Amino acid sequence: MTDTSSDTGPGAAQDTPEDASTSPRRERGQGRIARIWRSSRILRGFVYLCVAGIIGLIGLWVVLMRDMPDAKSLLAYQPPLPTMVRDINGDIAYSYARERRVQLRYVDLPRPLVNAFLSAEDRTFWSHGGVDIGGFAGAVVDYVSKYGSGERAKGGSTITQQVAKNILIGDEYSVTRKLKEMVLAYRIEGVLSKEQILELYLNEIPLGRRSFGVQAAARAYFDKDVDELTLNEAAFLAILPRAPEVYGRKKHEARALERRNWVLDQMVRNEWVSAAEAAEAKAQPLGLVTQRGPDYDPANGYFIEEVRRRLIDRYGEKAEDGPNSVYAGGLWVRTSLDPELQGAVRAALRKGLLNYHGQRGWAGPIAHINDMENWQTQLIVSNKTIDYQNWRVGVVLDAANGEGRIGFSDGDIAALTNVPDRAKVGDFLAAAPVSAGTYAVRTVPEVSGGMVMEQPYSGRLLALQGGFDSGLGSFNRAVQAERQPGSTIKPFVYATGLDNGMTPATQVLDGTFCVYQGGNLGQKCFRNFGNEGGAGSRTMRWGLEQSRNLMTVRIANDIGMGKVVKTFKTMGIGDYKPYLSFALGAGETTVARMANAYSALANNGVQYDASVIDYVQDRSGKVIWKADKRNCDGCNMAEWDGKPMPRIARRGKQVMNADTAYQTIHMLEGVVTRGTAVRLRSLNLPLFGKTGTTNGPTDVWFMGGSQDYVGGVYLGYDNPRSLGGYAQGGRIAAPIFKDVIEATRERWSDQPFVAPPGVRMVRIDRVTGKQVMGVEPSDEPKASVIWEAFKPDTEPRQYTAEDEFTKRRDALIAEIDGARKARATAAEAAQGVADNFAEEQGGIY
């Protein structure tokens, strides 16, 4: 049966005329495209290629954008800058830099210099948007032509691209890096002005000779500032970005001249100079200066190194250590370095070392190398130098029969005479020219030492000398060498006695003193220097002036050695056990710590922390550290509030009773007037001081100074050994201190020390310590009547006839006792008693 029904009901779909006309047409079009797609391989390939290209572009964009630096970071960019060190006068003394860098503002850049760089590197800089399309096209062609040859194609980079490369993404040689560079260049142009981009570029571009930026390069190549450069010099700097290590060398001078003249021609083309000006500049030679050494006074070497150590401890060395690192943070450091005093200290210590060394002959090599194939490189990297007269450090290339050859770090080779028999090939030694092409060996003293000068009322260290020459080694014996101070520690034993009821006039027995050590050790008997016997009862003043060991240990024993070592610790000298030998200087300390302790004596017992840095500023000028940490609350008020003026608290710390400190200083003035430091008396200055000679003797010392300058010096071998029986602090160390004063005499005040309130000056008999009435003290060094300082109500009673009898009796007894002990000493010597018996018994002078 055939179904004849039709979908004509209300719910049946009705084909409209439009549907009837378009549906077949759409189907026919889709069919045609499908047939073309199936039949046309070219179409399919083209579409696939387009899709792949789009995917590739997306992938490339993802790769480029991954880890892409933000151009906005340049707004806060902080270039690595050296730390600049200033001395006490505010003058630049040194810069801690592994790269030469000086930042300039755009307005400080001379227009001819800017135009020279634009002519050489990017003449369309002011008009392009970050990328020079013509230059880029040329670079692509050059890259394709050189692909696979191993030769590097030209960059074609604009100055903006070079900023992106130098600061943000590095100098990797790849297509990816180049594309990143271009993207960043467009972004940089949207963030920074043209002037800001040029400022970054001209401050950061590497230009050879370890210089970054045009100011550093101007100094490195011409020893000028940028505003002093001539047109031909500016054009030379502009050629350096392409090949700084080539154009800056003498052997490539012709190439440098050719390139410089090309830059001048480009400046004429760009109408930035006239043809006549360019022709005049072309006629000039390059005029490069030789590479300069460090632009600082080598006399400051030990001081500068101590500042560096302290800065690194506080802020770190490299950029990754923090924003204020020494070699990248751009710090400005104000120090207490006094160039005049530093020079005097160095000269005096060197003179003392050379005088002691005398005619002892060659002391051995400074260093030694075994590999002679690259001796020059090893000499350079050793960093061994010397700044004394015309001496140089070189390496022995050959030697025989007192003759040989020596090579220097600059490659020069000279004949060498006076070669010691012990010298070997590979030895580093000092030599000085004696004729054209000939050098003679010079001896650096083997004995060494350290010296320091301090400002007692501030704690500022003004001078540090840690050896013969800082170029031979950075070990600073003034602050790092732990040595026995010998008798220079005695004033603090006496000061402890003064704090515990004694006075400068107190009588102390200068006689045999033994202590029982227990067990099998038996007794230990102390002796005076030189095995000298006692002199009977004498005043404390006399004992300190004459540096009597027996009186010192007796005072320490009577008041308690525990109190004495507490004084040592309080003064910052050292932390020792309560053994009597420490009262004679058997402990170890440094010259710097001793100078700081003596400074407290000179400053009426007020001590300041020893410092070499006054304050530190960051690159923007903000003070980030200062030695004086006091605050002045209310000092910066906008208006006066009607209250009393703000007061700043005293900075120092009272570590010793002021009266005690003055009494000790007054006695130490006697050490200079008639004691062991009498060599300084001829200076006719109010000076105090104390000599010291340790067991052996292995070290000789002098500590002392005035109200304004306090310092000290020691001499000794780095590996301690005897200096010889004649060596004493008064003979060797005190003259060094005297030389410093004579070299800076006009700086030393003639004003006497001022006693603190309450101290009474009383006339006494110098020998007995009794008060004398009706007799005025004279200026004679050995006057019988002198002024003595006493605390209130501690003055001695008046001198009587009985005292005169006692004085004569004691003198006679001492004379008899001395003769007896002299006979005993001779008998001991005849029986073979060891010569160092006094040393073994603790005798330290």
Side-chain angles (χ1 to χ4, degrees):
M1 179 180 287
T2 304
D3 185 7
T4 59
S5 65
S6 64
D7 294 329
T8 59
Q14 300 292 323
D15 286 338
T16 65
E18 181 182 0
D19 291 336
S21 62
T22 59
S23 181
R25 186 182 302 123
R26 182 184 300 116
E27 291 177 0
R28 287 195 298 272
Q30 292 174 349
R32 187 182 302 111
I33 292 173
R35 286 193 301 272
I36 295 172
W37 176 261
R38 287 193 298 269
S39 63
S40 176
R41 296 175 58 188
I42 296 176
L43 175 62
R44 292 200 305 273
F46 177 76
V47 173
Y48 290 151
L49 183 62
C50 289
V51 172
I54 293 171
I55 294 173
L57 288 174
I58 294 173
L60 178 60
W61 183 254
V62 171
V63 171
L64 289 177
M65 291 301 101
R66 187 179 58 195
D67 301 327
M68 176 75 81
D70 187 355
K72 291 182 180 180
S73 65
L74 292 177
L75 291 170
Y77 173 64
Q78 297 282 11
L81 291 177
T83 290
M84 306 302 294
V85 179
R86 296 185 183 273
D87 63 23
I88 198 171
N89 303 314
D91 298 325
I92 293 178
Y94 196 81
S95 67
Y96 302 118
R98 296 193 172 101
E99 300 170 346
R100 294 188 176 101
R101 290 179 182 269
V102 180
Q103 294 294 109
L104 297 178
R105 299 175 302 163
Y106 177 75
V107 295
D108 297 322
L109 296 167
R111 179 56 55 186
L113 180 65
V114 173
N115 290 337
F117 273 87
L118 293 178
S119 297
E121 295 294 316
D122 190 359
R123 68 183 182 87
T124 62
F125 173 76
W126 296 108
S127 60
H128 65 63
V131 177
D132 181 359
I133 300 301
F136 174 70
V140 171
V141 172
D142 190 55
Y143 178 82
V144 172
S145 66
K146 293 177 178 176
Y147 184 78
S149 67
E151 186 178 354
R152 186 161 182 162
K154 67 180 182 181
S157 297
T158 64
I159 281 178
T160 311
Q161 288 175 262
Q162 292 183 57
V163 169
K165 175 183 68 175
N166 292 334
I167 299 177
L168 296 177
I169 59 176
D171 194 24
E172 176 192 358
Y173 184 61
S174 68
V175 173
T176 303
R177 194 271 300 168
K178 195 69 177 179
L179 292 173
K180 284 185 177 181
E181 180 185 295
M182 294 173 65
V183 173
L184 275 174
Y186 280 117
R187 292 184 174 184
I188 290 171
E189 292 275 349
V191 172
L192 303 180
S193 68
K194 290 287 188 179
E195 289 79 6
Q196 289 175 313
I197 294 170
L198 267 179
E199 181 179 307
L200 275 173
Y201 174 74
L202 293 175
N203 278 322
E204 290 298 308
I205 186 72
L207 296 173
R209 294 193 178 183
R210 296 191 302 113
S211 60
F212 288 74
V214 291
Q215 170 61 25
R219 276 288 164 193
Y221 289 97
F222 299 109
D223 198 17
K224 293 180 178 180
D225 293 323
V226 289
D227 59 352
E228 300 171 325
L229 294 174
T230 61
L231 179 59
N232 61 289
E233 292 167 344
F236 171 82
L237 293 185
I239 74 174
L240 292 174
R242 295 293 178 93
E245 300 304 329
V246 174
Y247 293 135
R249 296 180 182 273
K250 180 70 174 176
K251 62 181 179 179
H252 299 302
E253 183 175 355
R255 292 178 60 185
L257 282 169
E258 181 182 358
R259 180 70 180 174
R260 181 201 69 178
N261 294 344
W262 176 84
V263 170
L264 291 168
D265 288 337
Q266 296 303 304
M267 295 182 74
V268 173
R269 174 188 173 188
N270 297 327
E271 298 182 354
W272 286 330
V273 297
S274 67
E277 290 173 325
E280 182 181 355
K282 288 180 182 180
Q284 302 299 319
L286 289 181
L288 306 185
V289 299
T290 57
Q291 294 199 39
R292 301 178 298 126
D295 189 16
Y296 75 99
D297 185 352
N300 304 333
Y302 283 110
F303 196 106
I304 293 297
E305 176 60 17
E306 181 62 19
V307 172
R308 189 184 76 96
R309 278 196 202 97
R310 299 192 184 192
L311 288 173
I312 288 177
D313 287 344
R314 185 173 297 275
Y315 300 113
E317 181 177 0
K318 302 175 183 177
E320 51 266 31
D321 295 328
N324 298 316
S325 63
V326 173
Y327 285 95
L331 303 177
W332 289 87
V333 182
R334 187 64 171 262
T335 72
S336 54
L337 169 65
D338 187 318
E340 181 187 18
L341 204 54
Q342 177 67 37
V345 165
R346 182 175 81 150
L349 181 60
R350 281 179 163 181
K351 178 183 175 183
L353 295 173
L354 289 168
N355 285 345
Y356 173 80
H357 183 81
Q359 302 301 316
R360 285 177 171 79
W362 190 58
I366 296 168
H368 181 83
I369 59 173
N370 294 314
D371 179 14
M372 295 299 295
E373 184 175 351
N374 58 344
W375 61 265
Q376 184 182 359
T377 300
Q378 293 186 73
L379 183 57
I380 292 172
V381 300
S382 73
N383 204 29
K384 298 292 185 183
T385 61
I386 192 167
D387 178 52
Y388 181 72
Q389 297 181 357
N390 58 354
W391 293 13
R392 300 176 69 183
V393 173
V395 58
V396 177
L397 302 180
D398 53 63
N401 301 320
E403 304 291 335
R405 291 185 307 142
I406 187 170
F408 299 105
S409 58
D410 59 3
D412 288 347
I413 296 176
L416 188 64
T417 63
N418 195 33
V419 181
D421 293 338
R422 293 184 292 127
K424 301 176 182 179
V425 172
D427 282 348
F428 288 9
L429 46 74
V434 291
S435 62
T438 302
Y439 280 71
V441 175
R442 294 290 182 261
T443 296
V444 176
E446 184 181 7
V447 69
S448 197
M451 189 171 188
V452 62
M453 295 296 292
E454 181 175 332
Q455 198 174 57
Y457 51 84
S458 69
R460 301 165 87 194
L461 296 179
L462 305 176
L464 291 173
Q465 186 67 17
F468 189 82
D469 194 289
S470 59
L472 300 175
S474 61
F475 182 68
N476 191 336
R477 295 161 188 83
V479 296
Q480 293 178 291
E482 299 277 350
R483 313 291 291 208
Q484 290 185 344
S487 291
T488 59
I489 209 168
K490 289 179 180 176
F492 303 97
V493 178
Y494 281 71
T496 310
L498 295 173
D499 267 341
N500 286 274
M502 305 180 80
T503 76
T506 298
Q507 294 282 323
V508 179
L509 178 61
D510 181 35
T512 302
F513 186 87
C514 299
V515 292
Y516 180 69
Q517 302 181 93
N520 298 323
L521 298 176
Q523 282 191 329
K524 176 180 178 65
C525 292
F526 293 87
R527 297 289 181 90
N528 285 318
F529 179 76
N531 218 13
E532 184 179 342
S537 294
R538 296 297 185 100
T539 62
M540 280 184 66
R541 165 177 286 278
W542 184 86
L544 186 55
E545 289 179 353
Q546 303 304 318
S547 196
R548 307 296 282 188
N549 290 346
L550 294 176
M551 294 179 68
T552 304
V553 294
R554 194 176 298 276
I555 292 170
N557 185 72
D558 289 350
I559 61 177
M561 195 60 201
K563 295 178 180 178
V564 173
V565 295
K566 183 179 179 181
T567 298
F568 295 164
K569 184 177 181 179
T570 301
M571 303 301 292
I573 295 171
D575 190 2
Y576 309 129
K577 299 293 185 182
Y579 302 147
L580 284 174
S581 58
F582 290 125
L584 299 176
E588 292 184 338
T589 188
T590 66
V591 181
R593 293 206 294 268
M594 289 298 292
N596 193 237
Y598 270 76
S599 290
L601 293 178
N603 200 41
N604 287 339
V606 177
Q607 188 177 51
Y608 298 88
D609 292 337
S611 65
V612 294
I613 300 172
D614 293 343
Y615 58 84
V616 179
Q617 296 169 280
D618 64 15
R619 66 173 66 215
S620 62
K622 180 183 177 181
V623 175
I624 57 176
W625 184 89
K626 58 181 180 178
D628 187 350
K629 297 179 175 59
R630 296 174 296 171
N631 293 318
C632 183
D633 296 328
C635 288
N636 294 323
M637 290 189 299
E639 295 181 356
W640 180 45
D641 58 3
K643 297 180 180 180
M645 185 173 65
R647 302 290 181 182
I648 301 177
R650 188 174 67 180
R651 178 180 159 207
K653 180 181 179 182
Q654 192 80 44
V655 294
M656 181 180 287
N657 177 275
D659 296 349
T660 298
Y662 178 78
Q663 286 180 300
T664 306
I665 285 290
H666 195 52
M667 290 192 291
L668 289 173
E669 287 185 281
V671 176
V672 174
T673 302
R674 54 188 160 265
T676 58
V678 72
R679 289 174 180 268
L680 277 68
R681 188 174 68 196
S682 61
L683 294 170
N684 293 318
L685 286 169
L687 299 172
F688 72 96
K690 185 69 189 75
T691 60
T693 307
T694 64
N695 284 343
T698 57
D699 295 307
V700 290
W701 288 69
F702 176 82
M703 301 296 306
S706 70
Q707 300 176 96
D708 300 314
Y709 304 107
V710 171
V713 57
Y714 92 88
L715 264 70
Y717 293 102
D718 286 343
N719 295 315
R721 68 173 191 264
S722 176
L723 294 168
Y726 75 95
Q728 295 180 23
R731 289 178 178 172
I732 297 176
I736 296 174
F737 200 88
K738 183 178 181 181
D739 285 342
V740 173
I741 297 176
E742 289 178 334
T744 57
R745 177 62 178 81
E746 70 283 354
R747 303 177 55 157
W748 295 75
S749 172
D750 294 322
Q751 296 298 314
F753 286 89
V754 178
V759 169
R760 295 194 60 187
M761 303 304 294
V762 178
R763 291 173 294 223
I764 67 167
D765 181 275
R766 183 172 58 84
V767 176
T768 66
K770 297 297 179 65
Q771 188 175 166
V772 175
M773 304 297 291
V775 179
E776 289 297 317
S778 71
D779 294 331
E780 290 297 319
K782 295 188 177 181
S784 58
V785 178
I786 62 171
W787 289 109
E788 191 60 271
F790 292 93
K791 297 175 184 176
D793 301 322
T794 64
E795 303 92 331
R797 65 183 178 86
Q798 192 171 345
Y799 189 80
T800 64
E802 181 181 351
D803 296 321
E804 177 65 24
F805 173 78
T806 303
K807 173 183 173 181
R808 293 181 180 180
R809 182 197 63 191
D810 290 344
L812 179 61
I813 292 173
E815 184 177 349
I816 295 171
D817 188 54
R820 178 182 60 78
K821 290 184 176 179
R823 290 194 298 273
T825 300
E828 290 174 351
Q831 295 175 10
V833 176
D835 291 338
N836 63 348
F837 176 78
E839 298 161 19
E840 292 175 352
Q841 301 306 312
I844 304 177
Y845 170 50

